[in-house]
Amino acid sequence: QVQLVESGGGLVQAGGSLRLSCAASGRTFSMYGIGWFRQAPGKERQFVATITWSDANTVYADSVKGRFTISRDIAKNTVYLQMDSLKPEDTAVYSCARLKGSGVIESTFMYDYWGRGTQVTVSS
């Protein structure tokens, strides 16, 4: 079992920045990677970014490329999502999840353990 806890969400003006954290505990030695997803009210969950645990390979959704940066701290079992140049359309609940292995990493089916999420609200 792996437990994931997100933090760092909040209210920010357009153009501002936030840094989200995803702290992992439990059987973290078995982690292939960690991904971030977001879900806005009335919309489907959307892939944001993923990082592999061993070699820090990263993949981003086109909508956040160049604005968001995902990173990981192995010693702290924590993954970060630095979000810059935020836009109102970035408003959503952001959740992290454990990536099970290689494959279509943008798909939620590739993730098994999920955190509860943290709210990010960007005002215009």
Side-chain angles (χ1 to χ4, degrees):
Q1 288 248 348
V2 174
Q3 294 79 42
L4 302 171
V5 179
E6 303 93 340
S7 62
L11 173 64
V12 64
Q13 286 190 329
S17 299
L18 281 174
R19 188 177 81 154
L20 306 182
S21 299
C22 173
S25 60
R27 296 173 64 87
T28 56
F29 59 85
S30 64
M31 289 198 303
Y32 186 84
I34 294 286
W36 283 97
F37 286 76
R38 65 187 182 186
Q39 188 166 22
K43 294 190 176 180
E44 289 189 356
R45 186 171 281 176
Q46 179 187 40
F47 170 76
V48 176
T50 282
I51 187 165
T52 55
W53 200 247
S54 60
D55 54 9
N57 263 341
T58 58
V59 178
Y60 295 92
D62 287 343
S63 58
V64 306
K65 237 175 241 181
R67 299 188 299 122
F68 290 11
T69 304
I70 189 170
S71 62
R72 56 102 169 95
D73 185 328
I74 293 177
K76 295 183 178 180
N77 283 333
T78 300
V79 169
Y80 302 100
L81 185 68
Q82 177 66 41
M83 306 187 296
D84 299 317
S85 302
L86 282 161
K87 306 174 182 180
E89 51 264 43
D90 294 318
T91 295
V93 174
Y94 284 70
S95 302
C96 60
R98 187 183 76 159
L99 176 63
K100 293 187 288 188
S102 61
V104 182
I105 60 173
E106 296 88 349
S107 169
T108 58
F109 292 108
M110 290 301 300
Y111 300 81
D112 47 12
Y113 295 101
W114 292 79
R116 288 191 165 189
T118 184
Q119 177 70 46
V120 171
T121 303
V122 184
S123 62
S124 55

